[in-house]
């Protein structure tokens, strides 16, 4: 009789231990899944936020350059290009985000942000805009012209259906780093911005 009682007690204990172990395993698995999903969702929200900030900056800049392309004083080939350059930089001079504006003809020669007449047709942003006749943004890079980390926006402009040249706005390339600085992941981590095509760092804090 005692032997049976002992066996029953042991059986009950084994069942209790196994049940608890199974319960803990399920709880841990569920907790891990929920934690993982929570982290994923947080990261996705962070990525979406930073991406939307960058997208807004780019769209705002291209809209401004596009508006110049609808103004006679900027696109008429009979108007002196240096006069156009002066007008462009008058518009941008009070905005601290701008390093300057530039304007080039359809061969890639024109007035740089430092008011020098140069052929910059080999520069990535200008070469791409001239080749595709479409807007182009170049990731932040050190500029040999102005000596600063800059972001370049190039917008072709047309007159009577013919491409006359390219407007270029040059912004402080550290602005993206400032945007990242305001975004915190977890306790103190901050995201990096990576070029989707090359995998190279575009900005980090």
């Amino acid at each position: 009789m005692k032997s049976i009682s002992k066996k029953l007690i042991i059986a009950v204990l084994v069942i209790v231990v196994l049940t608890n172990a199974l319960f803990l395993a399920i709880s841990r698995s569920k907790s891990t899944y929920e934690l993982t999903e929570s982290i994923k969702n947080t990261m996705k929200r962070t990525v979406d936020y930073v991406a939307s900030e960058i997208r807004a900056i780019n769209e705002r800049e291209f809209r401004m350059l596009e508006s110049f392309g609808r103004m006679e004083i900027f696109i008429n080939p009979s108007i002196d290009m240096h006069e156009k350059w002066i007008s462009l930089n008058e518009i941008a001079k009070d905005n601290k985000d701008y390093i300057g504006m530039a304007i080039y003809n359809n061969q890639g020669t024109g007035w740089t942000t430092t008011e020098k007449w140069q052929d910059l047709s080999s520069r990535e942003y200008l070469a791409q805009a001239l080749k595709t006749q479409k807007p182009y943004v170049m990731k932040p890079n050190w500029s040999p012209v102005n000596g600063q980390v800059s972001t370049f926006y190039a917008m072709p402009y047309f007159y009577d259906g013919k491409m006359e040249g390219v407007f270029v706005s040059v912004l402080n390339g550290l602005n993206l780093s400032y945007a990242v600085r305001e975004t915190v992941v977890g306790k103190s981590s901050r995201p990096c911005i990576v070029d989707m095509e090359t995998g190279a760092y575009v900005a980090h804090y």
Side-chain angles (χ1 to χ4, degrees):
M1 192 71 177
K2 289 183 179 180
S3 177
I4 295 174
S5 297
K6 286 181 180 180
K7 287 180 180 180
L8 286 173
I9 292 171
I10 292 171
V12 170
L13 288 174
V14 169
I15 291 171
V16 170
V17 170
L18 289 175
T19 302
N20 287 338
L22 181 62
F23 175 77
L24 288 173
I26 293 172
S27 297
R28 179 175 295 178
S29 176
K30 187 177 180 181
S31 297
T32 301
Y33 173 78
E34 290 176 349
L35 179 61
T36 301
E37 288 301 303
S38 176
I39 293 172
K40 283 182 180 179
N41 290 334
T42 299
M43 292 297 292
K44 186 178 184 303
R45 285 195 297 270
T46 301
V47 169
D48 289 345
Y49 170 76
V50 174
S52 68
E53 289 288 298
I54 295 171
R55 191 159 45 245
I57 292 171
N58 292 344
E59 288 176 354
R60 182 173 63 242
E61 197 58 29
F62 282 133
R63 278 199 303 271
M64 185 190 73
L65 292 175
E66 191 176 33
S67 70
F68 295 153
R70 293 192 292 267
M71 301 170 70
E72 185 78 11
I73 60 170
F74 291 126
I75 63 175
N76 192 320
S78 65
I79 300 174
D80 180 71
M81 191 175 285
H82 188 250
E83 291 298 318
K84 297 176 183 179
W85 180 90
I86 292 173
S87 298
L88 288 170
N89 281 279
E90 277 294 317
I91 293 170
K93 71 177 184 179
D94 293 328
N95 190 323
K96 61 182 178 58
D97 292 331
Y98 281 87
I99 291 174
M101 302 287 292
I103 184 170
Y104 302 90
N105 61 26
N106 57 17
Q107 300 300 311
T109 301
W111 294 97
T112 69
T113 56
T114 55
E115 203 174 356
K116 293 179 181 177
W117 179 260
Q118 284 185 275
D119 179 355
L120 294 186
S121 58
S122 62
R123 294 300 304 277
E124 177 187 328
Y125 58 92
L126 199 50
Q128 288 295 324
L130 290 169
K131 178 182 178 181
T132 65
Q133 298 190 7
K134 294 179 180 179
Y136 186 80
V137 58
M138 179 177 165
K139 67 179 182 291
N141 212 320
W142 178 79
S143 169
V145 174
N146 60 50
Q148 301 181 59
V149 176
S150 308
T151 303
F152 302 87
Y153 295 84
M155 172 70 73
Y157 64 91
F158 302 80
Y159 192 77
D160 287 340
K162 176 189 174 184
M163 187 178 75
E164 288 294 331
V166 178
F167 298 123
V168 173
S169 60
V170 184
L171 276 66
N172 184 345
L174 297 178
N175 283 345
L176 293 181
S177 294
Y178 299 153
V180 172
R181 179 179 60 188
E182 303 301 323
T183 305
V184 180
V185 180
K187 290 185 177 180
S188 59
S189 299
R190 288 181 172 83
C192 296
I193 300 174
V194 177
D195 189 302
M196 291 179 66
E197 294 181 1
T198 65
Y201 283 115
V202 172
H204 58 87
Y205 176 70

